[in-house]
Amino acid sequence: MSAAQGKFFKLQDEKDARLALVQVVFRHGARTPLTSKHKLFEAPEVQWDCCGSAFTPVPISMTTIDGKPAPENSHNTRQIRSILQGGCHMGQLTTQGQLQALDFGQWLRKRYIEELGFLPPQYKEGMLHARTTNFQRTALTLAGVLTGLLGDTGGKAIPVVTSSDVDEILVADTKACPNLANLIAVGKKIGKELCEADDDYEWACNELKRILPEIVDDFYFNSYNYQFTDIHDVITSCLAAGKAPYPGLEDPRLAETVNRLATKEFGPLVAPTVSDEHGHKHLRLSMGILLKTMTENMEAAINAPVEGAHASLGPTNETKAKLPLIFLYSGHDSTIMPLLSSLGVTRLTQWPPYLSNLVFELWELPSKKETVVRVLRDRQPLDIPHCPPGHCPTLTTFRDEVIGSLFITREALAEACVVEIDHDTSMPKPRALSMASRSEEPDDN
């Protein structure tokens, strides 16, 4: 990322700052395992019986952007049909995951209703826009967040937008973008090299072979692309549900090492470094439409006509007519990780936990005649690498200097996704692979 250019402000120094828009992107809550290697998590004493209803969520009504019924998702259907010991199905949101969603929604309520007075205390039609990937766990997570944020809606169903894989903007899918498969294949190679260069790689491999002799051997490490990702999936899902993972996997040093190696292994597939040519192409194809959409939402919030008033950080604030005040996007780790990379966060070292989130706040500074963007990561301010520490970029700087080079239209995406055949290239052949749901690879983490 280049040295800081553009305009930046310390938001806490701006006494007349007024909140104009909030956009929230979050990973689903805790879930059951997704790996197909059931021996890793189905010891006789482990019962996956933790998927009942933790509370009654507000009702939601899911449709496509043009109002059609939510399409069937074959990946989601396959997971629902895969029943685990104890009755839960593969990849199902647990009661703990539901409570995580509720808690996050309650934090949003406290911040944007009770403290900042930005949102109305009761649900009003049009006050929010909600979108989810077409998976049961992300839809239920969104319902939990909405319950914590809104409380009782009087039985009103909250409209929620979803889409088919082809039109998805929250995760990458090489069925819709074959050229992305080429870039992901490069990421696999980078991930393997990063793991093998880790000081604890050999130790972790030997420990896993010792603990899991029936599953993990030299062939496993040499032939399978996601060895650490699978084991990390099991450790985190077991611990979140209060289940004991396979004996030995709960060792703190091993669990921490597997987390780091899994992140190095999987990160380059979905969240390559934005500053290199490969990473920039990858992120533009996978996140370009979402980033462009979120920026257009901010520009619309600033340019909309004024109507009404509500409280904010200052004494009063003016709300924009007929536009949502908050956008909620429910996705996956493969949503959070590439967004962080797009902001310039270099190689991730830890896997984003369940319900990890990014909040993009747009603030107006009337005395400066400027608007600035503040990003929160897991409820804490995030210093964007392009910006001076503790400072927020103006919307123009955020668009032009931080993320704008990644923007892409649907028309341009369709053209860029076409694989150009070059008989002299060593680039691997593309292979259909969804970052929200992989086949023999782990589905979503």
Side-chain angles (χ1 to χ4, degrees), residues 260-272:
R260 186 176 70 251
L261 291 172
T263 306
K264 289 184 175 183
E265 179 180 75
F266 184 68
L269 274 71
V270 296

Side-chain angles (χ1 to χ4, degrees), residues 131-285:
R131 179 166 185 149
T132 178
T133 59
N134 196 15
F135 283 82
Q136 185 193 74
R137 60 183 167 277
T138 53
L140 291 178
T141 296
L142 176 58
V145 171
L146 287 168
T147 302
L149 171 63
L150 301 174
D152 185 10
T153 63
K156 292 182 180 177
I158 309 301
V160 171
V161 171
T162 191
S163 72
S164 64
D165 290 346
V166 173
D167 296 318
E168 187 55 75
I169 66 173
L170 295 176
V171 291
D173 192 328
T174 58
K175 291 179 181 178
C177 188
N179 200 26
L180 192 56
N182 284 341
L183 300 170
I184 288 173
V186 174
K188 288 181 183 180
K189 183 175 183 295
I190 294 172
K192 186 173 181 61
E193 291 172 350
L194 288 173
C195 286
E196 292 176 349
D198 190 283
D199 290 342
D200 288 328
Y201 174 77
E202 292 295 338
W203 172 81
C205 289
N206 290 331
E207 279 294 287
L208 292 172
K209 285 188 284 187
R210 179 183 64 82
I211 293 169
L212 304 165
E214 296 182 3
I215 304 170
V216 176
D217 53 19
D218 289 334
F219 179 78
Y220 175 84
F221 285 111
N222 292 330
S223 64
Y224 185 55
N225 288 317
Y226 301 99
Q227 56 264 34
F228 295 108
T229 301
D230 262 7
I231 294 170
H232 173 263
D233 170 49
V234 170
I235 293 174
T236 54
S237 55
C238 284
L239 293 180
K243 308 293 183 183
Y246 201 97
L249 292 181
E250 77 284 356
D251 174 73
R253 181 190 172 190
L254 182 60
E256 188 279 331
T257 302
V258 167
N259 184 318
R260 186 176 70 251
L261 291 172
T263 306
K264 289 184 175 183
E265 179 180 75
F266 184 68
L269 274 71
V270 296
T273 303
V274 70
S275 58
D276 65 54
E277 183 180 4
H278 158 259
H280 190 275
K281 288 180 179 179
H282 187 299
L283 292 169
R284 186 167 180 258
L285 295 181

Side-chain angles (χ1 to χ4, degrees), residues 81-393:
R81 290 174 179 172
S82 182
I83 306 301
L84 309 180
Q85 287 182 168
C88 293
H89 64 70
M90 182 179 286
Q92 186 170 359
L93 193 70
T94 64
T95 51
Q96 177 63 23
Q98 296 167 48
L99 293 173
Q100 288 174 330
L102 182 69
D103 177 73
F104 182 57
Q106 290 170 339
W107 177 81
L108 293 174
R109 180 178 182 86
K110 181 179 179 182
R111 177 166 177 79
Y112 298 111
I113 295 178
E114 297 172 8
E115 294 179 355
L116 298 181
F118 176 66
L119 298 176
Q122 302 296 327
Y123 172 69
K124 293 182 179 179
E125 187 175 345
M127 67 175 277
L128 62 83
H129 174 89
R131 179 166 185 149
T132 178
T133 59
N134 196 15
F135 283 82
Q136 185 193 74
R137 60 183 167 277
T138 53
L140 291 178
T141 296
L142 176 58
V145 171
L146 287 168
T147 302
L149 171 63
L150 301 174
D152 185 10
T153 63
K156 292 182 180 177
I158 309 301
V160 171
V161 171
T162 191
S163 72
S164 64
D165 290 346
V166 173
D167 296 318
E168 187 55 75
I169 66 173
L170 295 176
V171 291
D173 192 328
T174 58
K175 291 179 181 178
C177 188
N179 200 26
L180 192 56
N182 284 341
L183 300 170
I184 288 173
V186 174
K188 288 181 183 180
K189 183 175 183 295
I190 294 172
K192 186 173 181 61
E193 291 172 350
L194 288 173
C195 286
E196 292 176 349
D198 190 283
D199 290 342
D200 288 328
Y201 174 77
E202 292 295 338
W203 172 81
C205 289
N206 290 331
E207 279 294 287
L208 292 172
K209 285 188 284 187
R210 179 183 64 82
I211 293 169
L212 304 165
E214 296 182 3
I215 304 170
V216 176
D217 53 19
D218 289 334
F219 179 78
Y220 175 84
F221 285 111
N222 292 330
S223 64
Y224 185 55
N225 288 317
Y226 301 99
Q227 56 264 34
F228 295 108
T229 301
D230 262 7
I231 294 170
H232 173 263
D233 170 49
V234 170
I235 293 174
T236 54
S237 55
C238 284
L239 293 180
K243 308 293 183 183
Y246 201 97
L249 292 181
E250 77 284 356
D251 174 73
R253 181 190 172 190
L254 182 60
E256 188 279 331
T257 302
V258 167
N259 184 318
R260 186 176 70 251
L261 291 172
T263 306
K264 289 184 175 183
E265 179 180 75
F266 184 68
L269 274 71
V270 296
T273 303
V274 70
S275 58
D276 65 54
E277 183 180 4
H278 158 259
H280 190 275
K281 288 180 179 179
H282 187 299
L283 292 169
R284 186 167 180 258
L285 295 181
S286 62
M287 289 286 109
I289 290 181
L290 175 60
L291 291 168
K292 186 174 185 292
T293 298
M294 294 177 68
T295 303
E296 289 172 346
N297 292 340
M298 289 189 260
E299 292 171 337
I302 293 302
N303 295 326
V306 169
E307 181 180 280
H310 66 275
S312 72
L313 188 61
T316 61
N317 191 12
E318 295 165 325
T319 185
K320 304 298 182 178
K322 300 180 181 179
L323 288 177
L325 297 172
I326 185 169
F327 288 76
L328 301 172
Y329 298 100
S330 182
H332 307 261
D333 52 7
S334 49
T335 310
I336 297 296
M337 294 168 86
L339 278 180
L340 285 169
S341 287
S342 299
L343 292 173
V345 177
T346 53
R347 298 272 185 223
L348 301 174
T349 58
Q350 297 292 319
W351 202 286
Y354 295 125
L355 234 301
S356 55
N357 54 85
L358 291 169
V359 179
F360 296 78
E361 297 178 343
L362 181 67
W363 290 85
E364 295 177 291
L365 310 180
S367 61
K368 301 291 194 302
K369 296 183 179 179
E370 292 283 5
T371 56
V372 297
V373 179
R374 173 160 64 180
V375 182
L376 306 179
R377 179 183 182 183
D378 297 332
R379 312 186 190 187
Q380 299 298 320
L382 172 69
D383 280 335
I384 300 173
H386 179 82
C387 309
H391 289 69
C392 300

